[in-house]
Amino acid sequence: MVDKDILQHICTAIETPDPDETVKAVEKAVDFGVAPLEIVGALTDGITTLGDKFERMECFLPELILGADAMDVSMKLLKPKMEELNLETGPAGTVVISNIQGDIHDIGRDIVVTMLRVAGYQVEDMGHDVKPNLMIDKALECDADIIAVSTLLTTSLPFAREVLRLLDARGLSGKFKVVMGGGAVTPEYCEEIGAGYGDNAAAAVKLVKELIDGGDSK
Amino acid sequence: MRSNIFEYIRRAQNGTYMDENDFNMKLFRTCSKLVKEYDIKFDKEKIVVGDEAMADRLFKASLDLCLEMGMFCVDTNRIIEFTMEELQTALMLAPQEMILGEGKDIRVMRARKFDDGYRMTVCGGCPGTPLPEELFLPIMMSYAKEPLLDIIIPGSLVTVDGMGVETGGPLEIRACRQEMMWMREALERAGRPGTHIYAAGESSATELGTLAICNPRYMRISDSHMIPVLSELKTDKIRLSRVMTGYEYPAFTTSLIDPIIGGFGGGPEGAALVQAAAMIMSTTVYGVDMHCLHPIHNKYISGSTKEGLWVDSITGRAFAQNAPLASLADAWTTAGAGTEEILYETAALAITQEMSALHTDSLGATNGVYPNCSGLESRFFAEVTLAAFNQKLTVDEANELVLRLFKKYEHGFENPDLGLPFPEVYDIKTIEPKKEWNDTYKRVKDDIAAMGLNFAF
């Protein structure tokens, strides 16, 4: 019964979202000897509810960011305990993301980054106006699964195509999956250049999950 | 120039330092506080806002937001801070009437007030829509041929000589010049060579494109170019360079303001607050003559969502009552040309904008993603605004009508009907709508007339 109350407290705190309260609740759960996987389950339930609320516009991007921050800190707290028990502590996969060269429209990317974090992925957010080659360098550096490109500008689409051309030129074709989204991107364009397409943030997360869990991420 | 641009550049270099994430989160906290303090509430059943007191409160709250946040320069991480005196002076000096265009094609653009006896200035075109080279001229001619369209906005040229136009590259220069040459040709062929071209150089993602068209062969000083405010309440050196571009080449300027509904401002109330504050900031820092309002729904993008319509409506009312500015709202639709849905979305947007003392910045069919657009839906927009104006609709009547129209297209947000490319809805030799598209237009017009809107013809 105590465990159930503590887990509910974690779930509610992250759903609120209240990062400080979440961390306190997780610490309390650890002190009470609650199984780490159960704590992770409560955190996941809370953050999933928060993501659903965002989808329904019942909460907004800053709240989602706070929830994702709370999740990150909580997972770091749990890491030693989980390693002690030989439990998996790594992320579900790694995604390198940016607004490609010439594009500075951050907020759409911010939403995707936060939702990917909420879904448990390690996200290397390179910000905006990033050259295609730098994205590839970063993907190699962090052994990424996915390179995700965002652009709202049609005039930055050529740089998105360049990511795939450079992967080919550098002998890295097939090493990373490339996905795209943003106002200027269409499914037809993605099909033409050989990238995956995400219509919105939720679709992007689903696509990443399919590509990584599908086992053909690299 | 009305803006003391050198002083604002100085502040962008020397203002208070702040981490960008901290600025974003502070904005959310400040918007949440002000929305509560000023009791601003979105009501999904009152899309066309008639609440004068709430609009006044929004205006006051937006001044507070300007003072509390300032404008963030992303290149320097510095805050451009303001005094109330600076903001109020800028609003007082904002132009109330402008003569746009040349010769017999001039139009007067006004900072609208309620019941001043003037209807909106209708801009026709396809803002932000990627147009292929081979279709650019015929598509723009379809707008130029529409006499109810007062001013024109071009689409974006996405290729030059078959090559993709890149931000900041040589083709950006070429694309912006080519756009203007073709836009001018379309207007000349339609017998209206002096028509104002709004947001000239649509493909200008950097200052390069704008600088490239500062020549009477391309952008005349009777035309206008656009200087965006970055979302939310931010600027950068590229945007400030565009301001400087206008320093000695005095074409008209317009802001572009895109608050994200569900983003760092919060919900519709916060987005309206951010939009209003960005209007004040761009009047102050950029010294713009006009404003382009473009709230973006975080899931559906379109301006025709209830949230998007409401944000524009309350913002329009707030300024018309307190500090009139020439404000043009974008009208981005989910559906594309050839569908019934785009016409119902168009009507809802047109009525809301007319009833909120706004002008229009024209239609972005399929949210500006596909070139599935044509002059006919812009004509329809103008006809609806004219009907709403002549009929002297009350706010309640307009609201009821918009809610009925909304039911006709809301299904499209989840499953959009993107319609058809231009050559499938227009004869590209005669530049006239094909029969099926014309029949759809007549059918929807009859249906909306049956709902109680009295079209002039």
Side-chain angles (χ1 to χ4, degrees), chain B residues 135-428:
Chain B
L135 289 176
F136 193 93
L137 182 58
I139 289 177
M140 294 323 301
M141 281 183 67
S142 78
Y143 297 100
K145 284 182 75 169
E146 294 295 340
L148 291 178
L149 305 181
D150 299 304
I151 61 176
I152 296 282
I153 183 169
S156 295
L157 193 56
V158 289
T159 56
V160 169
D161 270 13
M163 290 180 284
V165 177
E166 293 177 352
T167 310
L171 295 185
E172 181 180 326
I173 295 173
R174 182 71 209 134
C176 288
R177 287 179 168 170
Q178 187 64 64
E179 267 173 33
M180 293 304 288
M181 285 191 277
W182 275 333
M183 190 66 253
R184 196 72 70 196
E185 182 181 342
L187 291 166
E188 282 169 3
R189 286 168 70 167
R192 47 190 302 188
T195 298
H196 173 84
I197 299 176
Y198 180 75
E202 266 284 289
S203 296
S204 169
T206 72
E207 70 280 23
L208 269 186
T210 308
L211 281 165
I213 59 169
C214 287
N215 180 304
R217 283 186 68 203
Y218 311 112
M219 175 174 67
R220 300 171 183 162
I221 59 171
S222 59
D223 296 323
S224 60
H225 66 93
M226 194 168 252
I227 311 173
V229 174
L230 301 178
S231 297
E232 311 287 9
L233 305 185
K234 295 174 190 172
T235 189
D236 65 2
K237 289 182 179 174
I238 287 177
R239 276 10 83 172
L240 293 172
S241 297
R242 286 191 185 196
V243 180
M244 195 54 80
T245 300
Y247 193 71
E248 288 160 356
Y249 192 83
F252 293 98
T253 53
T254 179
S255 68
L256 170 60
I257 299 165
D258 309 270
I260 313 292
I261 304 170
F264 288 112
E269 300 91 342
L273 190 48
V274 165
Q275 177 158 279
M279 289 168 74
I280 298 171
M281 287 184 188
S282 54
T283 302
T284 308
V285 176
Y286 297 170
V288 289
D289 306 292
M290 297 174 272
H291 294 275
C292 173
L293 314 182
H294 188 144
I296 295 174
H297 190 283
N298 75 353
K299 188 172 179 190
Y300 300 127
I301 313 295
S302 306
S304 59
T305 58
K306 284 187 175 182
E307 293 84 358
L309 292 165
W310 182 87
V311 168
D312 274 345
S313 185
I314 191 166
T315 312
R317 179 168 283 281
F319 281 89
Q321 290 176 185
N322 291 280
L325 299 174
S327 305
L328 298 84
D330 258 329
W332 279 32
T333 62
T334 299
T339 67
E340 289 189 351
E341 284 84 353
I342 191 175
L343 297 172
Y344 287 116
E345 288 183 87
T346 295
L349 285 154
I351 293 167
T352 305
Q353 292 179 10
E354 174 55 43
M355 296 300 296
S356 307
L358 294 164
H359 305 277
T360 192
D361 176 25
S362 194
L363 285 150
T366 71
N367 290 316
V369 176
Y370 294 91
N372 299 359
C373 55
S374 73
L376 185 59
E377 62 269 19
S378 270
R379 179 204 305 174
F380 188 59
F381 190 104
E383 289 176 338
V384 172
T385 63
L386 197 57
F389 177 80
N390 287 338
Q391 199 171 334
K392 294 187 168 47
L393 285 177
T394 65
V395 168
D396 287 344
E397 287 166 346
N399 188 61
E400 190 188 327
L401 196 46
V402 169
L403 290 175
R404 288 177 70 186
L405 292 165
F406 185 82
K407 286 194 169 68
K408 297 272 191 178
Y409 65 80
E410 63 178 318
H411 57 275
F413 293 128
E414 287 293 342
N415 298 297
D417 185 343
L418 300 172
L420 298 165
F422 182 77
E424 293 183 45
V425 291
Y426 262 59
D427 180 325
I428 58 167

Side-chain angles (χ1 to χ4, degrees), chain A residues 110-184:
Chain A
D110 286 340
I111 295 172
V112 174
V113 166
T114 309
M115 289 187 71
L116 283 169
R117 288 173 61 205
V118 164
Y121 295 98
Q122 172 75 32
V123 185
E124 295 292 335
D125 181 4
M126 298 182 72
H128 62 233
D129 194 14
V130 178
K131 290 193 167 115
N133 242 337
L134 294 181
M135 289 198 80
I136 295 170
D137 291 345
K138 174 60 81 176
L140 286 168
E141 180 192 318
C142 63
D143 192 26
D145 300 284
I146 305 267
I147 295 175
V149 175
S150 172
T151 182
L152 205 73
L153 296 176
T154 52
T155 48
S156 284
L157 284 177
F159 298 118
R161 183 195 292 263
E162 192 63 9
V163 173
L164 286 132
R165 282 164 45 87
L166 284 172
L167 282 171
D168 190 36
R170 292 172 65 171
L172 297 168
S173 281
K175 182 163 178 61
F176 311 105
K177 289 285 181 190
V178 178
V179 301
M180 287 181 64

